[in-house]
Amino acid sequence: MVIRAVVWDVDDTLFDYTSADREGMRAHLLAEGLLSRYPSVEEALTRWREITEQQWARFSAGEVDFETQRRDRTRVFLERELTDAEAEDWFRRYMVHYESAWALFPDVLPVLDALAAGYRHAVLSNSSLHVQDRKLRVLGLHDRFETILCAAELGVSKPEARAFLAACEALALPPDQVAYVGDHPEIDGRGAAAAGLLSVWIDRGGAYATVEPPVGPRRIASLAELPSLLRADTRFGAPSTFG
């Protein structure tokens, strides 16, 4: 089956979220006088990421809304009670530092340019439309996508098949004519494959570099590999291009 559209994850796929989060939190903790609470910046960042994952899991399960998980990330990280306004103010100050470090991966614009004429493009993110719409505008990518779908508005998160199928429905294409590109081997990779899309796991050698590749997704090390992969019908037995 011919692939007609590519649906993209955003964070750590197009946008270098890990680097921006690291630099933003380091600058924020320094400005807030909180670095001395931790043996190192990396330990502070590890704690922040653990809390982020925990609070996001609550949001994904429908236990809290998007704004509440952000406030609770702050409360748990600081280990103290805060009013909603206090938590929002702290998070807003963090966002200033975080946004100052926003950047695309260097392989993003070349591959989007290479694929522009031959494929339709959309976004599916486990975030909110308010967050990702603005981010894509700041990064200069917004107009490259026909539609931008996010978990907060969809009411369903990756890796559930309904999230991926919602993207296919928005494009009015069957899943076997859509590729999904994301950085997480399970949430993106296995999830998209299970939903019937051509699943592409972009492994940039970060947190998931040592993960055993799940069955289903095709693993690439650079987006430069994507055009040739899309032209080949790799779902039907062709070997992975990496690893």
Side-chain angles (χ1 to χ4, degrees):
M1 189 67 67
V2 175
I3 297 298
R4 303 186 184 280
V6 182
V7 180
W8 299 85
D9 175 53
V10 176
D11 295 348
D12 280 332
T13 297
L14 302 172
F15 159 64
D16 190 354
Y17 167 79
T18 295
S19 294
D21 190 42
R22 179 187 299 112
E23 292 307 309
M25 183 53 69
R26 182 198 60 76
H28 182 52
L29 293 177
L30 182 62
E32 298 283 315
L34 295 173
L35 274 180
S36 61
R37 293 179 54 185
Y38 297 90
S40 68
V41 174
E42 286 304 318
E43 291 194 33
L45 290 169
T46 297
R47 178 61 177 152
W48 175 249
R49 291 185 190 123
E50 289 172 348
I51 293 167
T52 297
E53 290 180 4
Q54 292 164 1
Q55 296 304 320
W56 184 263
R58 295 176 63 219
F59 166 70
S60 296
E63 297 174 13
V64 296
D65 60 23
F66 188 79
E67 291 73 20
T68 298
Q69 65 85 22
R70 279 190 162 190
R71 297 180 196 125
D72 288 349
R73 283 163 66 184
T74 300
R75 292 179 175 116
V76 175
F77 183 74
L78 295 179
E79 298 179 334
R80 68 172 187 261
E81 292 296 323
L82 298 171
T83 66
D84 285 354
E86 288 170 336
E88 288 164 4
D89 285 345
W90 192 93
F91 200 93
R92 192 177 299 114
R93 295 194 299 274
Y94 154 70
M95 288 295 293
V96 171
H97 296 289
Y98 166 58
E99 291 181 9
S100 70
W102 282 4
L104 297 172
F105 288 105
D107 56 1
V108 170
L109 292 179
V111 78
L112 288 176
D113 288 342
L115 298 176
Y119 301 89
R120 298 164 64 193
H121 296 270
V123 160
L124 174 63
S125 170
N126 269 4
S127 184
S128 76
L129 186 58
H130 171 74
V131 170
Q132 299 297 43
D133 187 272
R134 180 173 181 276
K135 185 185 293 174
L136 292 169
R137 289 182 189 278
V138 170
L139 294 170
L141 296 184
H142 186 275
D143 292 344
R144 291 181 180 259
F145 305 108
E146 289 185 30
T147 188
I148 299 169
L149 302 177
C150 293
E153 290 73 27
L154 281 176
V156 60
S157 301
K158 301 176 295 182
E160 288 195 40
R162 287 184 297 147
F164 297 100
L165 295 178
C168 296
E169 290 169 8
L171 293 165
L173 290 173
D176 60 4
Q177 293 183 17
V178 179
Y180 188 82
V181 183
D183 72 293
H184 197 292
E186 294 293 334
I187 293 173
D188 296 315
R190 194 191 298 273
L197 289 74
L198 171 60
S199 177
V200 183
W201 171 30
I202 173 67
D203 176 10
R204 297 188 181 279
Y208 310 114
T210 60
V211 172
E212 184 68 22
V215 175
R218 300 302 174 186
R219 184 182 185 187
I220 60 175
S222 167
L223 292 180
E225 300 174 56
L226 186 60
S228 61
L229 189 153
L230 294 177
R231 288 192 294 269
D233 204 353
T234 56
R235 286 166 299 177
F236 301 106
S240 168
T241 59
F242 177 72

